[in-house]
């Protein structure tokens, strides 16, 4: 298997970011390098102390990352998902996640269940080859972790907490071995997908007390994965070609700029775009992302919703999703303040404008402080010029964009699929269109 020993893409600056951005990214790492807290925090502390020695200051960690001795060649020889020494130690400390316990015993595991944990303060010169997993084992481990996302016996936040930490460990092993090849790119793409899907599914856990911190840490790791992925693309790219998924994954960075004063990679978007290859800039995925960002900043709610519904891939949609209700609230505000007071606005028309079901529109109006009324024939209306309008104060449920008269004449519905539990119609270009009634 071809392994090219090159500069570590995770430790270097982004393929499309300036060197000045490294300090801002490092500042974010100080707040995001630890995984979400679990009940095993005490055992984790014991493990870190025994494996990594005396805790180091962030400045020392940065020196280790820049130390040339850390870039020496290291080829892992561990044949298991978790090194035998770590597995035995964690059995003694009863430091096993629920997915690693053999027959539910918190003090017993097996090579087929235990997965190496992420260790924050670590350097290549401190590692033995027997504690590092080679690329084939890392691929097998990642596939095992991603299959856990389909588990239904545990809440998603429990599954996410486990996969979140173990995928960081996979990236750490890849980084220490300086593996830069197509297999690594595929693995990073899968890990980016995991964080984007988690970004979507964690929204349903918004009532949990630690939701904000978990959501923040997930977004931080998504940005770090994208930085490393862009560097891998650059390291392996030929002069006149790009990777198949590269345009879509580059579009994620543009979509992460939705919202004001948001710079995911620590630099302005225009500077980043100036270093993107022209083949990617001209791709339909990148053109869509840039057009959508422009519509969002212009406040063009109608074209924003329609463009999202007809062109977004499901991964793009999951990034856009938190902003859809914000755009809907803007549309509702315009209707309320610009409408004629003596002519209430029909909820049926508003449903088409916001691309929501009528019942959901009524709930959304109430969440924005607006009252609806019922006409003599039972039709629902929104009285305009109300003064109590406000943006929803709480996380309002996000409904898939509803497109009218799409696939209605096709009873076979060949484009119906299920995306993580939600039945959706898919446009031939793979866009999320509407939630099935």
């Amino acid at each position: 298997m071809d392994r090219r020993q090159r500069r570590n893409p995770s430790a270097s600056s982004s393929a499309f970011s300036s060197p000045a951005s490294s300090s801002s990214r490092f500042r974010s790492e100080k707040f995001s390098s630890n995984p979400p807290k679990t009940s095993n925090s005490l055992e984790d502390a014991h493990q870190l102390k025994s494996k990594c020695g005396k805790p180091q200051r962030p400045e020392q960690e940065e020196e280790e990352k820049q130390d040339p001795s850390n870039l020496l060649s290291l080829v892992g020889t561990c044949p298991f998902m978790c090194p035998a020494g770590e597995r035995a130690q964690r059995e003694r400390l009863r430091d096993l996640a629920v997915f690693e316990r053999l027959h539910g015993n918190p003090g017993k595991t097996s090579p087929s269940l235990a997965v190496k944990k992420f260790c924050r303060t670590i350097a290549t010169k401190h590692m033995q080859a027997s504690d590092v997993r080679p690329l084939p084992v890392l691929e097998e481990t990642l596939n095992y972790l991603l299959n856990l996302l389909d588990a239904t016996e545990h809440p998603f936040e429990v599954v996410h907490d486990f996969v979140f930490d173990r995928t960081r460990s996979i990236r750490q092993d890849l980084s220490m071995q300086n593996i830069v090849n197509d297999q690594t790119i595929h693995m990073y793409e899968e890990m980016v997908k995991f964080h984007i899907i988690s970004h979507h599914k964690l929204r349903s856990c918004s009532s949990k007390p630690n939701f904000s911190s978990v959501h923040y840490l997930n977004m931080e790791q998504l940005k770090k994965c994208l930085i490393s992925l862009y560097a891998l693309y650059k390291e392996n790219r030929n002069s006149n070609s790009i990777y198949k998924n590269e345009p879509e994954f580059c579009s994620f960075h543009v979509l992460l700029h939705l919202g004001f004063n948001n710079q995911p990679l620590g630099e302005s978007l225009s500077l980043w775009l100036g270093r993107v290859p022209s083949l990617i800039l001209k791709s339909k995925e990148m053109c869509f992302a840039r057009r959508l960002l422009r519509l969002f900043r212009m406040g063009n709610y109608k074209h924003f919703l329609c463009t999202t519904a007809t062109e977004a891939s499901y991964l793009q949609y999951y990034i856009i999703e938190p902003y859809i209700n914000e755009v809907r609230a803007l549309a509702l505000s315009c209707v309320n303040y610009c409408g004629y007071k003596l002519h209430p606005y029909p909820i049926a028309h508003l449903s088409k404008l916001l691309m929501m079901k009528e019942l959901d529109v009524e709930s959304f109006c109430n969440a924005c402080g607006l009252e609806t009324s019922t006409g003599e024939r039972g039709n629902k209306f929104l009285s305009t010029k109300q003064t109590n309008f406000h943006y929803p104060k709480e996380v309002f449920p996000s409904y898939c964009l509803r497109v009218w008269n799409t696939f209605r004449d096709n009873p076979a519905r060949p484009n119906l699929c299920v995306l993580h539990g939600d039945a959706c119609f898919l446009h031939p270009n793979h866009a999320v269109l509407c939630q099935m009634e």
Side-chain angles (χ1 to χ4, degrees):
M1 183 175 297
D2 178 28
R3 294 187 184 178
R4 283 176 278 179
Q5 305 297 328
R6 299 187 180 179
R7 174 174 51 84
N8 182 359
S10 298
S12 63
S13 60
S14 170
F16 305 136
S17 62
S18 64
S21 67
S22 62
S23 61
S24 61
R25 289 200 306 272
F26 174 63
R27 289 195 294 271
S28 68
E29 288 174 1
K30 293 192 292 185
F31 299 97
S32 63
S33 57
N34 285 326
K37 297 291 183 182
T38 67
S39 60
N40 294 329
S41 58
L42 181 60
E43 288 85 353
D44 291 347
H46 285 302
Q47 183 203 14
L48 287 174
K49 182 177 180 181
S50 61
K51 288 195 67 176
C52 305
K54 184 178 179 181
Q56 297 173 302
R57 293 178 290 105
E59 292 81 5
Q60 291 174 311
E61 294 175 34
E62 183 70 3
E63 289 173 2
E64 284 193 349
K65 291 179 182 178
Q66 297 176 355
D67 187 353
S69 64
N70 289 339
L71 302 180
L72 297 176
S73 174
L74 174 66
V75 179
T77 60
C78 177
F80 306 114
M81 294 191 296
C82 181
E86 178 184 331
R87 189 168 67 246
Q89 180 189 49
R90 289 171 56 200
E91 284 182 328
R92 291 194 304 270
L93 296 173
R94 303 174 73 85
D95 182 22
L96 298 173
V98 64
F99 303 98
E100 300 175 308
R101 300 172 183 176
L102 185 63
H103 307 305
N105 186 347
K108 191 67 176 176
T109 186
S110 69
S112 62
L113 294 176
V115 183
K116 182 180 179 181
K117 291 183 70 173
F118 172 74
C119 183
R120 183 171 184 262
T121 53
I122 200 169
T124 304
K125 62 184 179 182
H126 297 151
M127 291 297 298
Q128 299 293 329
S130 59
D131 292 329
V132 179
R133 298 159 294 182
L135 182 60
V137 177
L138 291 172
E139 289 180 302
E140 178 185 351
T141 304
L142 180 60
N143 291 332
Y144 169 77
L145 293 172
L146 296 179
N147 287 333
L148 291 178
L149 297 177
D150 298 326
T152 57
E153 58 268 23
H154 300 284
F156 178 76
E157 57 267 28
V158 175
V159 181
H160 172 267
D161 181 56
F162 180 72
V163 179
F164 177 95
D165 178 80
R166 279 23 176 204
T167 52
R168 292 187 74 186
S169 177
I170 289 177
R171 285 153 48 198
Q172 194 174 52
D173 279 10
L174 287 170
S175 175
M176 285 189 293
Q177 298 176 86
N178 298 311
I179 304 176
V180 183
N181 55 26
D182 290 352
Q183 293 97 316
T184 309
I185 288 178
H186 175 72
M187 292 177 67
Y188 267 90
E189 288 178 345
E190 291 300 315
M191 287 185 278
V192 167
K193 288 180 183 179
F194 158 70
H195 287 294
I196 293 178
I197 293 172
S198 297
H199 180 66
H200 163 74
K201 300 189 77 169
L202 285 172
R203 289 176 60 81
S204 62
C205 309
S206 58
S207 60
K208 303 298 175 61
N210 62 339
F211 163 75
S212 297
S213 61
V214 174
H215 188 268
Y216 172 80
L217 291 173
N218 182 72
M219 287 300 297
E220 284 297 306
Q221 293 306 312
L222 169 60
K223 295 170 186 177
K224 290 182 180 181
C225 282
L226 286 174
I227 290 172
S228 298
L229 179 60
Y230 297 154
L232 287 167
Y233 282 145
K234 183 179 180 180
E235 290 284 344
N236 290 272
R237 185 186 302 122
N238 294 326
S239 58
N240 296 320
S241 64
I242 58 176
Y243 280 86
K244 176 182 178 181
N245 298 325
E246 192 172 356
E248 181 180 13
F249 280 80
C250 287
S251 75
F252 298 157
H253 175 58
V254 177
L255 295 175
L256 286 172
H257 282 76
L258 288 171
F260 297 99
N261 300 321
N262 190 11
Q263 294 185 358
L265 300 188
E267 66 172 344
S268 67
L269 181 60
S270 59
L271 291 176
W272 183 84
L273 288 172
R275 288 184 287 275
V276 177
S278 59
L279 287 176
I280 298 177
L281 288 176
K282 296 177 182 179
S283 65
K284 65 176 184 179
E285 294 87 355
M286 186 62 79
C287 290
F288 158 76
R290 297 176 68 182
R291 181 168 67 255
L292 198 73
L293 180 61
R294 183 168 60 252
L295 293 172
F296 180 85
R297 293 179 173 176
M298 291 173 57
N300 192 333
Y301 54 83
K302 182 176 180 180
H303 285 158
F304 178 92
L305 296 175
C306 291
T307 301
T308 300
T310 56
E311 297 185 33
S313 69
Y314 83 95
L315 290 173
Q316 290 173 328
Y317 180 85
Y318 284 169
I319 296 177
I320 301 166
E321 185 180 30
Y323 302 97
I324 288 179
N325 281 341
E326 182 178 338
V327 173
R328 284 168 168 163
L330 172 64
L332 194 58
S333 172
C334 293
V335 170
N336 176 61
Y337 290 121
C338 299
Y340 187 44
K341 189 173 183 178
L342 299 179
H343 291 85
Y345 201 88
I347 294 295
H349 294 176
L350 197 58
S351 174
K352 295 181 179 180
L353 178 65
L354 303 182
M355 306 180 78
M356 301 170 67
K357 298 179 183 178
E358 291 188 26
L359 291 177
D360 297 334
V361 171
E362 191 172 0
S363 300
F364 189 69
C365 290
N366 296 334
C368 293
L370 302 179
E371 298 180 355
T372 59
S373 58
T374 305
E376 297 179 355
R377 299 182 180 180
N379 297 327
K380 299 283 185 177
F381 294 92
L382 171 68
S383 299
T384 57
K385 301 296 184 184
Q386 298 185 46
T387 59
N388 296 327
F389 173 83
H390 57 76
Y391 282 82
K393 297 179 180 179
E394 300 179 355
V395 178
F396 193 79
S398 294
Y399 298 96
C400 291
L401 294 176
R402 195 158 183 256
V403 175
W404 301 88
N405 300 321
T406 303
F407 305 122
R408 289 297 179 90
D409 298 329
N410 187 355
R413 297 179 176 180
N415 296 302
L416 179 66
C417 78
V418 176
L419 293 178
H420 311 290
D422 297 326
C424 300
F425 288 114
L426 293 186
H427 192 271
N429 66 3
H430 202 229
V432 177
L433 291 185
C434 61
Q435 188 171 15
M436 183 177 179
E437 298 185 15

